[in-house]
Amino acid sequence: MAAEIVNPRSESGTEGAPEELFDPAFALHRGGKMAIQATVPVRDKDDLSLAYTPGVAKVCTAIAEQPDLVHEYTWKSQVVAVVTDGTAVLGLGDIGPEASLPVMEGKAILFKQFGGVDAVPIALATTDTDEIVDTVVRLAPSFGGVNLEDISAPRCFEIERKLQERLDIPVFHDDQHGTAIVTLAALRNAAKLTGRTLGDLRAVISGAGAAGVAIAKFLLEAGIGDVCVADRKGVVSSDREDLTDVKREIAGLTNKAGLSGSLETALAGADVFIGVSGGTVPEAAVASMAKDAFVFAMANPNPEVHPDVAHKYAAVVATGRSDYPNQINNVLAFPGIFAGALQVRASRITEGMKIAAADAIAGVVGDALAADCVIPSPFDDRVAPAVAAAVAAAARAEGVARR
């Protein structure tokens, strides 16, 4: 079976073959979705002598003498490593490095398509935190930034932290920060639409993994009124004795209202539901939320609250799906963020740069703001340039830009 899938268009041996062999997804992925392409000609011996030996030796020597020249005479400052260990791939979970490659290739082409940033997929055959960190540190001289992708929590938090401590290039775990940035952008516009500010809102987040923890911290940084996080066992509160270190930290930062018990209990009177966990929230719990509530049910393919149910009670509804309005899609954030960071050779991506990115995404909506348009389309070509400009300006303001 595996041999047949590798070549789904083969005319031989297809009689009685499973219908999946002819699925267009296999046809699109055959041979991969990306390639390396030269940006200079190699047409004759003169071109060859400049692009390779002996001409290349002059450039190598210059870089050896002045290391910063690497940014001018190689692609380093224009390329991102997309790094995974394959442990938390989309909704598929721990499927391993090889099986993660189609997603990493997809991420790389999104970088190029939406942000003009070159990216290289790197799937690592280890799940050990220190081995991942050491490997990426050794690879770092080839790249201007590192996008961590689909690495399971809680290891993803430590991996990102350790890498940023050891590297002087941006390290960005998109499952955390990309989701948080786009969520904040949508939330700002939803609040504006209903005559409120972020500080007026109490949010409940379903999910205490990478995205849920990052969203909670980021909303607090941005000035939300209150937020609590719930996992499978209920509200993450300080009185629980089963918390991991990460959840214990979140319990100490969130939940000013002192809530405990179930997610459903926490939703009573809440202004915002943010779902990044899967599962199903009972309709009665959604009905108990405050007037003009917002429901951001982002699990794929099945939102925690079906949009038809959410629209009965909420003023604004968003999902992670492309077939409903208000898609919370990370592609609105990461291409422009890296484009801006690379443009100024930022040493890291700060909280201020992330907030600037969220504000830029929200600002693109402009006069089109409506209940079914609190966030731009991923295909709005104004988004990435606006985000890149805002991130670059914030990097300069915060002193992490080097040009």
Side-chain angles (χ1 to χ4, degrees):
M1 178 64 72
E4 291 178 350
I5 290 177
V6 169
N7 185 12
R9 291 179 175 176
S10 174
E11 294 182 2
S12 61
T14 59
E15 185 175 353
E19 185 178 350
E20 288 81 357
L21 295 182
F22 306 98
D23 188 306
F26 283 98
L28 183 142
H29 283 81
R30 186 181 183 194
K33 299 192 291 281
M34 58 183 293
I36 299 295
Q37 180 176 318
T39 60
V40 297
V42 186
R43 298 162 300 194
D44 53 36
K45 66 182 181 63
D46 293 332
D47 288 344
L48 184 60
S49 70
L50 288 173
Y52 201 54
T53 185
V56 73
K58 298 178 182 178
V59 181
C60 293
T61 301
I63 294 171
E65 294 173 352
Q66 300 181 58
D68 275 356
L69 290 179
V70 70
H71 301 286
E72 186 172 352
Y73 293 110
T74 74
W75 77 336
K76 176 181 171 69
S77 287
Q78 305 168 57
V79 65
V80 171
V82 180
V83 178
T84 190
D85 62 0
T87 54
V89 181
L90 296 177
L92 303 174
D94 185 355
I95 60 175
E98 289 85 0
S100 76
L101 271 176
V103 177
M104 301 310 116
E105 287 183 7
K107 193 79 173 193
I109 65 175
L110 295 179
F111 264 111
K112 188 66 172 179
Q113 177 71 24
F114 292 100
V117 173
D118 290 302
V120 177
I122 299 175
L124 301 179
T126 178
T127 61
D128 181 85
T129 294
D130 289 332
E131 287 184 359
I132 291 172
V133 171
D134 289 343
T135 301
V136 175
V137 168
R138 291 185 176 102
L139 291 170
S142 296
F143 299 99
V146 176
N147 181 97
L148 300 174
E149 192 75 18
D150 294 348
I151 298 173
S152 63
R155 294 176 309 116
C156 59
F157 304 113
E158 184 178 3
I159 289 168
E160 183 186 47
R161 177 181 59 78
K162 286 185 173 181
L163 281 173
Q164 193 60 85
E165 287 173 353
R166 293 177 62 179
L167 298 177
D168 65 347
I169 58 176
V171 179
F172 185 85
H173 185 210
D174 188 47
D175 301 316
Q176 292 183 60
H177 310 301
T179 308
I181 287 164
V182 182
T183 300
L184 175 61
L187 200 54
R188 282 207 193 282
N189 275 340
K192 181 179 178 181
L193 181 68
T194 56
R196 289 175 284 179
T197 68
L198 205 64
D200 297 324
L201 305 177
R202 177 171 74 85
V204 177
I205 299 173
S206 175
V213 168
I215 292 170
K217 289 183 176 180
F218 195 50
L219 293 184
L220 289 170
E221 181 76 22
I224 196 165
D226 193 13
V227 58
C228 79
V229 179
D231 61 12
R232 291 182 179 87
K233 297 182 179 179
V235 172
V236 176
S237 58
S238 299
D239 59 355
R240 282 177 47 182
E241 298 180 356
D242 61 341
L243 301 181
T244 63
D245 290 343
V246 170
K247 291 182 182 180
R248 193 173 299 110
E249 178 192 11
I250 280 294
L253 295 172
T254 61
N255 194 17
K256 289 191 297 187
L259 301 173
S260 60
S262 68
L263 168 71
E264 291 80 5
T265 300
L267 279 175
D271 303 290
V272 186
F273 167 76
I274 297 171
V276 284
S277 64
T280 301
V281 177
E283 182 171 346
V286 181
S288 75
M289 295 177 69
K291 183 179 183 293
D292 291 332
F294 312 142
V295 172
F296 292 2
M298 297 186 282
N300 269 315
N302 300 311
E304 294 90 345
V305 182
H306 192 280
D308 292 344
V309 173
H311 278 297
K312 294 181 185 180
Y313 310 101
V316 176
V317 177
T319 71
R321 290 175 51 148
S322 60
D323 52 348
Y324 290 103
N326 295 326
Q327 184 189 17
I328 308 295
N329 192 327
N330 289 16
V331 79
L332 291 164
F334 68 81
I337 288 170
F338 271 98
L342 294 176
Q343 176 187 327
V344 298
R345 278 185 52 208
S347 58
R348 62 186 59 245
I349 294 171
T350 65
E351 292 300 302
M353 291 162 72
K354 291 187 285 184
I355 287 176
D359 290 346
I361 295 168
V364 169
V365 172
D367 293 339
L369 182 62
D372 62 354
C373 184
V374 297
I375 200 77
S377 162
F379 295 98
D380 189 324
D381 58 13
R382 299 172 297 169
V383 174
V387 172
V391 166
R396 291 189 178 103
E398 299 207 338
V400 297
R402 290 176 288 192
R403 70 176 177 194

